[in-house]
Amino acid sequence: MSIVNKGFRGRRAQSAPDLPPGQHLTADFPVLQAGPTPRIDLDDWRLTIRDELGAEHQWNWGQFKRLPNERLNVDIHCVTTWSKLNTKWEGVSLDTLFESIDTAAEFALVGSYGGYTTNLPLGDLLGGKAWIVYAYEGAPLSPVHGGPARLLVPHLYFWKSAKWVRSIELRGSDAPGFWERLGYHSYGDPWQQQRYAGD
């Protein structure tokens, strides 16, 4: 007599996480970058937002760390096909930084210590979509992961989350950044697989 009912398959497997197409999970945190890791002294660190008329808004490290901060838990997706889920960060929302900035710009060009740049529509930096983060998993953000502070835009491929952020230039028209000039997609939506120009 059989003690296993017909159709029995054993314990149901844990459901697979909802990943963008072409992505796979990673448990580690790969380090990918276009050049050497800059080492920025906190006494020298500045974040500058320059509007389309040339007016500048600037924060040094002490001023920046006194701004209201948020803790967030987000998934991140790299164009090289890895995804990491439930990553924990702490930082300042771009909404907070833009509270005193009046602009009609539609685009932003983000610049980093070390010379890296990436372009984004301004709408993708506001409305609770982007942060300047300085802590990861409860510890200060390490230089290899963009410390002391990096941009975090989790709904786009991770190359848009510029490490070692130093400036945001507001623009009336779009201008490609480092990887975009080399053939990466101008926008980079992982759910649409916008990896390269023409995707």
Side-chain angles (χ1 to χ4, degrees), residues 113-165:
Y113 289 91
Y116 179 81
T117 56
T118 192
N119 59 306
L120 302 101
L122 184 56
D124 286 276
L125 294 178
L126 302 175
K129 297 178 185 173
W131 298 262
I132 305 292
V133 293
Y134 50 77
Y136 173 72
E137 299 291 341
L141 189 59
S142 66
V144 295
H145 288 304
R150 74 177 296 157
L151 179 64
L152 180 65
V153 189
H155 68 281
L156 299 177
Y157 279 125
F158 212 44
W159 92 80
K160 293 292 186 176
S161 295
K163 295 180 179 182
W164 316 297
V165 66

Short mmCIF file of all heavy atoms in Angstrom, two decimals, residues 113-165:
data_model
loop_
_atom_site.label_atom_id
_atom_site.label_comp_id
_atom_site.label_asym_id
_atom_site.label_seq_id
_atom_site.Cartn_x
_atom_site.Cartn_y
_atom_site.Cartn_z
N TYR A 113 33.58 62.70 -7.37
CA TYR A 113 35.02 62.80 -7.16
C TYR A 113 35.65 61.68 -7.99
O TYR A 113 35.21 60.54 -7.95
CB TYR A 113 35.36 62.62 -5.69
CG TYR A 113 34.94 63.80 -4.84
CD1 TYR A 113 33.69 63.83 -4.23
CD2 TYR A 113 35.80 64.88 -4.65
CE1 TYR A 113 33.30 64.91 -3.44
CE2 TYR A 113 35.42 65.97 -3.86
CZ TYR A 113 34.18 65.97 -3.27
OH TYR A 113 33.79 67.05 -2.50
N GLY A 114 36.66 62.00 -8.75
CA GLY A 114 37.25 61.02 -9.66
C GLY A 114 36.84 61.24 -11.10
O GLY A 114 37.41 60.64 -12.01
N GLY A 115 35.83 62.09 -11.35
CA GLY A 115 35.48 62.47 -12.71
C GLY A 115 34.32 61.74 -13.35
O GLY A 115 33.90 62.08 -14.46
N TYR A 116 33.75 60.74 -12.68
CA TYR A 116 32.62 60.00 -13.25
C TYR A 116 31.38 60.90 -13.33
O TYR A 116 31.16 61.76 -12.47
CB TYR A 116 32.32 58.79 -12.37
CG TYR A 116 31.16 57.94 -12.83
CD1 TYR A 116 31.32 57.01 -13.83
CD2 TYR A 116 29.91 58.09 -12.25
CE1 TYR A 116 30.26 56.22 -14.25
CE2 TYR A 116 28.84 57.31 -12.65
CZ TYR A 116 29.02 56.37 -13.66
OH TYR A 116 27.96 55.61 -14.07
N THR A 117 30.56 60.69 -14.34
CA THR A 117 29.29 61.41 -14.47
C THR A 117 28.20 60.44 -14.93
O THR A 117 28.48 59.42 -15.58
CB THR A 117 29.37 62.55 -15.50
OG1 THR A 117 29.79 62.03 -16.77
CG2 THR A 117 30.34 63.64 -15.05
N THR A 118 26.95 60.77 -14.61
CA THR A 118 25.81 60.04 -15.15
C THR A 118 24.62 61.00 -15.23
O THR A 118 24.51 61.93 -14.43
CB THR A 118 25.47 58.78 -14.32
OG1 THR A 118 24.53 57.98 -15.06
CG2 THR A 118 24.89 59.13 -12.96
N ASN A 119 23.77 60.79 -16.22
CA ASN A 119 22.63 61.67 -16.45
C ASN A 119 21.33 61.01 -16.05
O ASN A 119 21.17 59.80 -16.18
CB ASN A 119 22.57 62.09 -17.93
CG ASN A 119 22.44 60.91 -18.88
OD1 ASN A 119 23.23 59.98 -18.84
ND2 ASN A 119 21.44 60.96 -19.74
N LEU A 120 20.40 61.83 -15.54
CA LEU A 120 19.08 61.35 -15.14
C LEU A 120 18.04 62.44 -15.38
O LEU A 120 18.35 63.63 -15.23
CB LEU A 120 19.03 60.99 -13.65
CG LEU A 120 20.01 59.95 -13.13
CD1 LEU A 120 21.17 60.62 -12.44
CD2 LEU A 120 19.31 59.01 -12.19
N PRO A 121 16.81 62.07 -15.68
CA PRO A 121 15.73 63.05 -15.62
C PRO A 121 15.57 63.52 -14.17
O PRO A 121 15.66 62.70 -13.24
CB PRO A 121 14.50 62.27 -16.08
CG PRO A 121 15.04 61.09 -16.84
CD PRO A 121 16.34 60.76 -16.17
N LEU A 122 15.34 64.80 -13.97
CA LEU A 122 15.21 65.32 -12.61
C LEU A 122 14.07 64.63 -11.87
O LEU A 122 14.17 64.38 -10.66
CB LEU A 122 15.00 66.83 -12.63
CG LEU A 122 14.95 67.52 -11.27
CD1 LEU A 122 16.20 67.24 -10.45
CD2 LEU A 122 14.75 69.02 -11.44
N GLY A 123 13.01 64.27 -12.58
CA GLY A 123 11.89 63.58 -11.95
C GLY A 123 12.27 62.26 -11.30
O GLY A 123 11.56 61.79 -10.40
N ASP A 124 13.37 61.65 -11.72
CA ASP A 124 13.81 60.38 -11.13
C ASP A 124 14.66 60.58 -9.88
O ASP A 124 15.04 59.61 -9.23
CB ASP A 124 14.58 59.56 -12.16
CG ASP A 124 13.64 58.95 -13.18
OD1 ASP A 124 13.07 57.89 -12.89
OD2 ASP A 124 13.44 59.56 -14.24
N LEU A 125 14.95 61.84 -9.55
CA LEU A 125 15.67 62.14 -8.31
C LEU A 125 14.75 62.63 -7.20
O LEU A 125 15.17 62.72 -6.05
CB LEU A 125 16.74 63.21 -8.57
CG LEU A 125 17.89 62.81 -9.50
CD1 LEU A 125 18.84 63.99 -9.68
CD2 LEU A 125 18.63 61.59 -8.98
N LEU A 126 13.52 62.96 -7.56
CA LEU A 126 12.58 63.56 -6.60
C LEU A 126 11.39 62.63 -6.37
O LEU A 126 11.26 61.59 -7.00
CB LEU A 126 12.12 64.92 -7.12
CG LEU A 126 13.26 65.93 -7.38
CD1 LEU A 126 12.71 67.21 -8.00
CD2 LEU A 126 14.05 66.22 -6.12
N GLY A 127 10.53 63.02 -5.43
CA GLY A 127 9.34 62.22 -5.15
C GLY A 127 9.63 60.93 -4.40
O GLY A 127 8.97 59.92 -4.61
N GLY A 128 10.66 60.95 -3.52
CA GLY A 128 10.99 59.76 -2.75
C GLY A 128 11.66 58.67 -3.54
O GLY A 128 11.60 57.50 -3.17
N LYS A 129 12.35 59.03 -4.64
CA LYS A 129 12.98 58.04 -5.51
C LYS A 129 14.49 57.96 -5.38
O LYS A 129 15.10 57.04 -5.91
CB LYS A 129 12.64 58.35 -6.98
CG LYS A 129 11.17 58.28 -7.31
CD LYS A 129 10.97 58.66 -8.77
CE LYS A 129 9.50 58.73 -9.12
NZ LYS A 129 9.31 59.26 -10.48
N ALA A 130 15.13 58.95 -4.71
CA ALA A 130 16.59 58.99 -4.70
C ALA A 130 17.11 59.62 -3.42
O ALA A 130 16.46 60.49 -2.83
CB ALA A 130 17.11 59.74 -5.92
N TRP A 131 18.32 59.19 -3.02
CA TRP A 131 18.95 59.65 -1.79
C TRP A 131 20.45 59.82 -2.02
O TRP A 131 21.04 59.17 -2.88
CB TRP A 131 18.76 58.61 -0.68
CG TRP A 131 17.34 58.37 -0.31
CD1 TRP A 131 16.64 58.92 0.73
CD2 TRP A 131 16.40 57.51 -0.98
NE1 TRP A 131 15.36 58.46 0.75
CE2 TRP A 131 15.18 57.60 -0.30
CE3 TRP A 131 16.50 56.68 -2.11
CZ2 TRP A 131 14.05 56.88 -0.70
CZ3 TRP A 131 15.38 55.97 -2.51
CH2 TRP A 131 14.17 56.08 -1.80
N ILE A 132 21.06 60.67 -1.20
CA ILE A 132 22.52 60.66 -1.04
C ILE A 132 22.77 59.88 0.24
O ILE A 132 22.38 60.32 1.32
CB ILE A 132 23.11 62.08 -0.94
CG1 ILE A 132 22.69 62.94 -2.13
CG2 ILE A 132 24.63 62.00 -0.79
CD1 ILE A 132 23.27 62.53 -3.46
N VAL A 133 23.37 58.70 0.11
CA VAL A 133 23.52 57.81 1.26
C VAL A 133 24.97 57.80 1.75
O VAL A 133 25.91 57.94 0.97
CB VAL A 133 23.06 56.37 0.93
CG1 VAL A 133 21.55 56.35 0.69
CG2 VAL A 133 23.80 55.81 -0.28
N TYR A 134 25.12 57.61 3.07
CA TYR A 134 26.44 57.61 3.69
C TYR A 134 26.65 56.41 4.62
O TYR A 134 27.71 56.27 5.22
CB TYR A 134 26.69 58.91 4.46
CG TYR A 134 25.57 59.29 5.41
CD1 TYR A 134 25.41 58.66 6.64
CD2 TYR A 134 24.66 60.28 5.05
CE1 TYR A 134 24.38 59.00 7.50
CE2 TYR A 134 23.63 60.63 5.91
CZ TYR A 134 23.50 60.00 7.13
OH TYR A 134 22.47 60.33 7.97
N ALA A 135 25.65 55.54 4.73
CA ALA A 135 25.80 54.34 5.55
C ALA A 135 25.15 53.16 4.83
O ALA A 135 24.14 53.32 4.13
CB ALA A 135 25.16 54.53 6.92
N TYR A 136 25.77 51.99 5.00
CA TYR A 136 25.27 50.76 4.41
C TYR A 136 25.33 49.65 5.46
O TYR A 136 26.37 49.46 6.10
CB TYR A 136 26.12 50.37 3.19
CG TYR A 136 25.79 49.02 2.62
CD1 TYR A 136 24.60 48.82 1.92
CD2 TYR A 136 26.64 47.93 2.79
CE1 TYR A 136 24.26 47.58 1.40
CE2 TYR A 136 26.32 46.68 2.27
CZ TYR A 136 25.13 46.52 1.58
OH TYR A 136 24.79 45.29 1.08
N GLU A 137 24.20 48.97 5.66
CA GLU A 137 24.11 47.90 6.66
C GLU A 137 24.60 48.36 8.03
O GLU A 137 25.28 47.63 8.75
CB GLU A 137 24.87 46.65 6.20
CG GLU A 137 24.34 46.06 4.89
CD GLU A 137 22.95 45.43 5.02
OE1 GLU A 137 22.54 45.12 6.15
OE2 GLU A 137 22.28 45.24 3.98
N GLY A 138 24.26 49.60 8.40
CA GLY A 138 24.54 50.11 9.73
C GLY A 138 25.94 50.63 9.96
O GLY A 138 26.27 51.03 11.08
N ALA A 139 26.77 50.67 8.91
CA ALA A 139 28.15 51.15 9.06
C ALA A 139 28.41 52.25 8.04
O ALA A 139 27.75 52.32 7.00
CB ALA A 139 29.13 50.00 8.86
N PRO A 140 29.38 53.14 8.32
CA PRO A 140 29.73 54.16 7.32
C PRO A 140 30.04 53.51 5.98
O PRO A 140 30.66 52.44 5.91
CB PRO A 140 30.96 54.85 7.92
CG PRO A 140 30.82 54.63 9.40
CD PRO A 140 30.19 53.27 9.55
N LEU A 141 29.60 54.14 4.92
CA LEU A 141 29.79 53.61 3.58
C LEU A 141 31.28 53.57 3.24
O LEU A 141 31.97 54.58 3.33
CB LEU A 141 29.04 54.50 2.59
CG LEU A 141 28.92 54.04 1.15
CD1 LEU A 141 28.21 52.69 1.07
CD2 LEU A 141 28.15 55.08 0.34
N SER A 142 31.77 52.40 2.87
CA SER A 142 33.20 52.24 2.59
C SER A 142 33.55 52.91 1.26
O SER A 142 32.71 53.02 0.37
CB SER A 142 33.57 50.77 2.55
OG SER A 142 32.94 50.14 1.44
N PRO A 143 34.81 53.33 1.10
CA PRO A 143 35.21 53.97 -0.16
C PRO A 143 34.95 53.11 -1.39
O PRO A 143 34.53 53.63 -2.43
CB PRO A 143 36.71 54.23 0.04
CG PRO A 143 36.86 54.41 1.52
CD PRO A 143 35.88 53.41 2.12
N VAL A 144 35.16 51.79 -1.32
CA VAL A 144 34.96 50.97 -2.52
C VAL A 144 33.50 50.90 -2.94
O VAL A 144 33.20 50.60 -4.10
CB VAL A 144 35.52 49.54 -2.35
CG1 VAL A 144 37.02 49.57 -2.19
CG2 VAL A 144 34.83 48.80 -1.22
N HIS A 145 32.59 51.20 -2.03
CA HIS A 145 31.17 51.23 -2.38
C HIS A 145 30.64 52.65 -2.53
O HIS A 145 29.43 52.88 -2.58
CB HIS A 145 30.35 50.45 -1.35
CG HIS A 145 30.55 48.97 -1.45
ND1 HIS A 145 30.34 48.26 -2.61
CD2 HIS A 145 30.97 48.06 -0.53
CE1 HIS A 145 30.60 46.99 -2.41
NE2 HIS A 145 31.00 46.83 -1.16
N GLY A 146 31.56 53.62 -2.61
CA GLY A 146 31.14 54.99 -2.92
C GLY A 146 31.25 55.96 -1.78
O GLY A 146 30.82 57.11 -1.91
N GLY A 147 31.80 55.53 -0.63
CA GLY A 147 31.90 56.42 0.52
C GLY A 147 32.92 57.52 0.32
O GLY A 147 33.84 57.38 -0.48
N PRO A 148 32.70 58.64 0.95
CA PRO A 148 31.80 58.80 2.10
C PRO A 148 30.32 58.93 1.75
O PRO A 148 29.48 58.71 2.60
CB PRO A 148 32.30 60.09 2.76
CG PRO A 148 32.91 60.88 1.65
CD PRO A 148 33.52 59.85 0.73
N ALA A 149 29.98 59.28 0.50
CA ALA A 149 28.56 59.41 0.15
C ALA A 149 28.39 59.12 -1.33
O ALA A 149 29.22 59.49 -2.16
CB ALA A 149 28.04 60.80 0.48
N ARG A 150 27.29 58.45 -1.64
CA ARG A 150 26.97 58.14 -3.03
C ARG A 150 25.51 58.44 -3.29
O ARG A 150 24.68 58.49 -2.38
CB ARG A 150 27.26 56.68 -3.36
CG ARG A 150 26.24 55.70 -2.78
CD ARG A 150 26.50 54.26 -3.17
NE ARG A 150 26.37 54.06 -4.60
CZ ARG A 150 26.95 53.05 -5.26
NH1 ARG A 150 27.69 52.16 -4.61
NH2 ARG A 150 26.78 52.92 -6.56
N LEU A 151 25.17 58.59 -4.55
CA LEU A 151 23.78 58.68 -4.97
C LEU A 151 23.19 57.28 -4.96
O LEU A 151 23.86 56.30 -5.28
CB LEU A 151 23.71 59.27 -6.38
CG LEU A 151 22.33 59.43 -7.01
CD1 LEU A 151 21.48 60.42 -6.24
CD2 LEU A 151 22.47 59.87 -8.47
N LEU A 152 21.93 57.17 -4.57
CA LEU A 152 21.21 55.90 -4.62
C LEU A 152 19.88 56.12 -5.32
O LEU A 152 19.02 56.86 -4.82
CB LEU A 152 20.98 55.35 -3.21
CG LEU A 152 20.23 54.02 -3.12
CD1 LEU A 152 21.03 52.88 -3.77
CD2 LEU A 152 19.88 53.68 -1.68
N VAL A 153 19.74 55.50 -6.50
CA VAL A 153 18.51 55.58 -7.30
C VAL A 153 18.11 54.14 -7.59
O VAL A 153 18.38 53.61 -8.67
CB VAL A 153 18.73 56.38 -8.61
CG1 VAL A 153 17.39 56.65 -9.31
CG2 VAL A 153 19.47 57.68 -8.35
N PRO A 154 17.47 53.46 -6.64
CA PRO A 154 17.31 52.01 -6.75
C PRO A 154 16.39 51.53 -7.87
O PRO A 154 16.47 50.35 -8.26
CB PRO A 154 16.77 51.61 -5.38
CG PRO A 154 16.17 52.85 -4.80
CD PRO A 154 16.98 53.98 -5.36
N HIS A 155 15.55 52.38 -8.42
CA HIS A 155 14.65 51.91 -9.48
C HIS A 155 15.33 51.87 -10.85
O HIS A 155 14.73 51.40 -11.82
CB HIS A 155 13.37 52.75 -9.53
CG HIS A 155 13.56 54.17 -9.97
ND1 HIS A 155 14.05 55.15 -9.13
CD2 HIS A 155 13.33 54.77 -11.16
CE1 HIS A 155 14.10 56.30 -9.78
NE2 HIS A 155 13.68 56.10 -11.01
N LEU A 156 16.58 52.35 -10.94
CA LEU A 156 17.34 52.28 -12.19
C LEU A 156 18.56 51.39 -12.00
O LEU A 156 18.95 51.09 -10.87
CB LEU A 156 17.78 53.69 -12.61
CG LEU A 156 16.65 54.69 -12.89
CD1 LEU A 156 17.22 56.05 -13.24
CD2 LEU A 156 15.72 54.19 -14.01
N TYR A 157 19.16 50.95 -13.11
CA TYR A 157 20.38 50.17 -13.01
C TYR A 157 21.40 50.93 -12.16
O TYR A 157 21.45 52.16 -12.15
CB TYR A 157 20.97 49.88 -14.39
CG TYR A 157 20.33 48.73 -15.12
CD1 TYR A 157 19.81 48.91 -16.40
CD2 TYR A 157 20.26 47.46 -14.56
CE1 TYR A 157 19.23 47.85 -17.11
CE2 TYR A 157 19.69 46.39 -15.26
CZ TYR A 157 19.18 46.60 -16.53
OH TYR A 157 18.61 45.56 -17.21
N PHE A 158 22.25 50.18 -11.48
CA PHE A 158 23.09 50.73 -10.42
C PHE A 158 24.16 51.69 -10.92
O PHE A 158 24.71 52.46 -10.14
CB PHE A 158 23.70 49.59 -9.62
CG PHE A 158 23.92 49.91 -8.17
CD1 PHE A 158 22.95 50.57 -7.42
CD2 PHE A 158 25.09 49.53 -7.53
CE1 PHE A 158 23.15 50.85 -6.08
CE2 PHE A 158 25.29 49.80 -6.19
CZ PHE A 158 24.32 50.48 -5.47
N TRP A 159 24.49 51.69 -12.24
CA TRP A 159 25.48 52.66 -12.71
C TRP A 159 24.95 54.08 -12.60
O TRP A 159 25.71 55.05 -12.58
CB TRP A 159 25.98 52.34 -14.13
CG TRP A 159 25.24 52.98 -15.26
CD1 TRP A 159 25.41 54.27 -15.73
CD2 TRP A 159 24.25 52.39 -16.12
NE1 TRP A 159 24.57 54.50 -16.80
CE2 TRP A 159 23.86 53.36 -17.07
CE3 TRP A 159 23.66 51.12 -16.17
CZ2 TRP A 159 22.91 53.11 -18.05
CZ3 TRP A 159 22.72 50.88 -17.15
CH2 TRP A 159 22.35 51.85 -18.06
N LYS A 160 23.63 54.24 -12.49
CA LYS A 160 23.03 55.56 -12.30
C LYS A 160 23.21 56.06 -10.86
O LYS A 160 23.07 57.25 -10.61
CB LYS A 160 21.55 55.52 -12.66
CG LYS A 160 21.26 55.26 -14.13
CD LYS A 160 21.69 56.43 -14.99
CE LYS A 160 21.28 56.25 -16.44
NZ LYS A 160 21.62 57.44 -17.25
N SER A 161 23.51 55.17 -9.94
CA SER A 161 23.72 55.53 -8.52
C SER A 161 25.20 55.88 -8.31
O SER A 161 25.96 55.10 -7.74
CB SER A 161 23.29 54.37 -7.61
OG SER A 161 21.90 54.14 -7.71
N ALA A 162 25.58 57.05 -8.77
CA ALA A 162 26.99 57.45 -8.83
C ALA A 162 27.67 57.37 -7.47
O ALA A 162 27.17 57.91 -6.48
CB ALA A 162 27.10 58.86 -9.40
N LYS A 163 28.83 56.71 -7.44
CA LYS A 163 29.66 56.69 -6.24
C LYS A 163 30.33 58.05 -6.05
O LYS A 163 30.48 58.81 -7.01
CB LYS A 163 30.75 55.62 -6.38
CG LYS A 163 30.25 54.18 -6.45
CD LYS A 163 31.47 53.26 -6.57
CE LYS A 163 31.09 51.81 -6.62
NZ LYS A 163 32.28 50.94 -6.70
N TRP A 164 30.77 58.31 -4.83
CA TRP A 164 31.60 59.49 -4.48
C TRP A 164 30.99 60.79 -5.02
O TRP A 164 31.67 61.65 -5.55
CB TRP A 164 33.03 59.32 -5.02
CG TRP A 164 33.57 57.96 -4.79
CD1 TRP A 164 33.81 57.36 -3.58
CD2 TRP A 164 33.91 56.99 -5.79
NE1 TRP A 164 34.29 56.09 -3.77
CE2 TRP A 164 34.36 55.84 -5.11
CE3 TRP A 164 33.89 57.00 -7.19
CZ2 TRP A 164 34.78 54.70 -5.79
CZ3 TRP A 164 34.30 55.87 -7.86
CH2 TRP A 164 34.74 54.74 -7.17
N VAL A 165 29.69 60.92 -4.85
CA VAL A 165 28.98 62.05 -5.46
C VAL A 165 29.52 63.39 -4.92
O VAL A 165 29.82 63.53 -3.74
CB VAL A 165 27.46 61.91 -5.22
CG1 VAL A 165 27.10 62.02 -3.74
CG2 VAL A 165 26.68 62.91 -6.05
#
